[in-house]
Amino acid sequence: MIAQSVSVLNTAISTKKLKNSLLCGLGLLALGTQIHAAEWSDTSLGWRYGTTFAEPYDNKPDGSRQDISKNIISLNHVSGYKYGTNFFNADVLLSDDKDPGKGTKDGAQEVYVVYRNTFNLGKAFKKDLKIGPIQGFGITGGFDLNTKNDSYGSKKRMLVLGPTIMMDVPGFLKISVLALNESNDPAGIDKRYTYDTHPMLEMVWGMPVFSLPLSFEGYALFIGPKGKSEFGSATAPETHVDMQVMYDLGADLGMSKKTFRVGAEYEYWHNKFGNPESQAGKGATASTPMIRAEYHF
């Protein structure tokens, strides 16, 4: 299965639009690394697989949701510098033929890139801002980019900015309230369309599970409606939760700690990309268990 995924990945990133988006994200990451000398960093390649993904407007003839299988290959990087942290993730999502690419019966290919920089105010001003369970405060900014070669042809561009609190917990827990400025230029419209600026509550965490070689990680996004869509229909509030329990298998194989990890993941996505079920059908909501593996270097 993994060998097949790598083979399909090579085909996917040979597509010009997908490759350009991935290279753009990697270039921005390299620039950020040069500007902020890293005090620590962690980079990994990952693979995950599930069989009950869904896409808005992709439903069976009887109106029920069309289950889609996807292989997802990820490049992930997180680092700390003098005044805060950087986070970068690029996913290459490879669908089966239930989510076809435009003009083909083969599965669609998507690249989704996320970058976040959290500027730690306590570190910047050399002040201890700890208050009760709050460890510190920051400002988070960044962007999302995506491109997909299905009939919709998403070309999402989104800037994010807002305050963050860092909780005093084992591992980390960050809670941010972000303003989103999002646009898209899919097939069927004359020029790039910008949605209303809208809010997002974002929670990101990574915590050890007692003294076991396990960690509980993930994120939860609660996103407000973004006004009218590019086709004039109303958008809806969006809930997106993705969490996983990861086991440090590398230690059992004689590797350094946290080198090779495997685990189980679960994703819940309601009103995906702001598409309400009342318009987009059952495909607007997915409940997706996955298996996951990561190699850190």
Side-chain angles (χ1 to χ4, degrees):
M1 180 67 75
I2 295 178
Q4 285 181 316
S5 302
V6 172
S7 176
V8 178
L9 172 62
N10 289 332
T11 302
I13 63 175
S14 67
T15 304
K16 184 176 181 182
K17 290 182 180 179
L18 299 181
K19 183 164 64 176
N20 286 347
S21 293
L22 186 55
L23 290 175
C24 176
L26 291 172
L28 289 166
L29 174 62
L31 177 61
T33 302
Q34 291 174 359
I35 294 172
H36 305 300
E39 296 179 341
W40 58 268
S41 67
D42 178 62
T43 303
S44 64
L45 286 172
W47 167 79
R48 58 193 192 271
Y49 175 75
T51 60
T52 57
F53 290 92
E55 295 292 343
Y57 298 100
D58 193 350
N59 304 294
K60 294 179 179 179
D62 64 1
S64 60
R65 184 188 68 220
Q66 178 66 68
D67 286 339
I68 299 165
S69 295
K70 292 187 183 185
N71 284 282
I72 304 174
I73 312 296
S74 300
L75 171 65
N76 183 278
H77 174 88
V78 60
S79 59
Y81 66 100
K82 185 176 181 180
Y83 300 120
T85 58
N86 286 298
F87 171 82
F88 171 85
N89 188 81
D91 283 343
V92 179
L93 302 98
L94 309 173
S95 299
D96 67 5
D97 58 6
K98 300 297 191 302
D99 177 30
K102 185 177 181 179
T104 177
K105 293 182 179 179
D106 295 330
Q109 303 152 5
E110 179 182 6
V111 170
Y112 200 105
V113 175
V114 176
Y115 173 74
R116 298 285 187 270
N117 180 290
T118 299
F119 183 73
N120 189 313
L121 295 173
K123 289 185 175 182
F125 295 105
K126 298 181 180 179
K127 298 286 186 181
D128 184 359
L129 301 180
K130 179 174 169 47
I131 302 173
I134 298 175
Q135 186 180 65
F137 299 85
I139 299 173
T140 294
F143 61 82
D144 289 21
L145 306 172
N146 100 312
T147 183
K148 187 174 181 179
N149 65 351
D150 62 356
S151 58
Y152 176 71
S154 178
K155 302 178 188 67
K156 179 179 178 178
R157 306 290 182 265
M158 186 171 76
L159 298 175
V160 311
L161 182 66
T164 295
I165 59 173
M166 286 81 80
M167 305 302 294
D168 189 10
V169 299
F172 70 91
L173 169 61
K174 296 181 180 180
I175 303 173
S176 303
V177 178
L178 303 173
L180 310 183
N181 179 265
E182 180 184 349
S183 67
N184 211 323
D185 187 17
I189 65 173
D190 296 331
K191 61 181 180 179
R192 178 165 290 275
Y193 178 84
T194 301
Y195 307 97
D196 293 348
T197 300
H198 52 290
M200 175 172 74
L201 174 64
E202 176 184 83
M203 294 185 286
V204 183
W205 67 88
M207 303 176 188
V209 179
F210 305 111
S211 58
L212 301 172
L214 297 171
S215 61
F216 177 51
E217 305 163 4
Y219 62 84
L221 311 176
F222 305 96
I223 305 171
K226 50 191 174 184
K228 297 290 186 181
S229 76
E230 60 271 34
F231 301 110
S233 57
T235 59
E238 183 179 350
T239 300
H240 185 190
V241 180
D242 194 306
M243 52 191 173
Q244 62 263 3
V245 175
M246 300 298 291
Y247 175 72
D248 185 7
L249 184 61
D252 296 334
L253 301 176
M255 301 177 181
S256 300
K257 285 186 176 182
K258 300 180 181 179
T259 298
F260 182 57
R261 306 193 310 156
V262 297
E265 183 172 358
Y266 174 74
E267 180 183 52
Y268 174 77
W269 203 335
H270 179 61
N271 293 338
K272 186 175 182 178
F273 296 131
N275 292 284
E277 280 195 12
S278 58
Q279 298 172 14
K282 297 298 183 180
T285 297
S287 176
T288 312
M290 287 172 268
I291 54 174
R292 182 181 182 115
E294 299 173 350
Y295 179 74
H296 293 250
F297 53 94

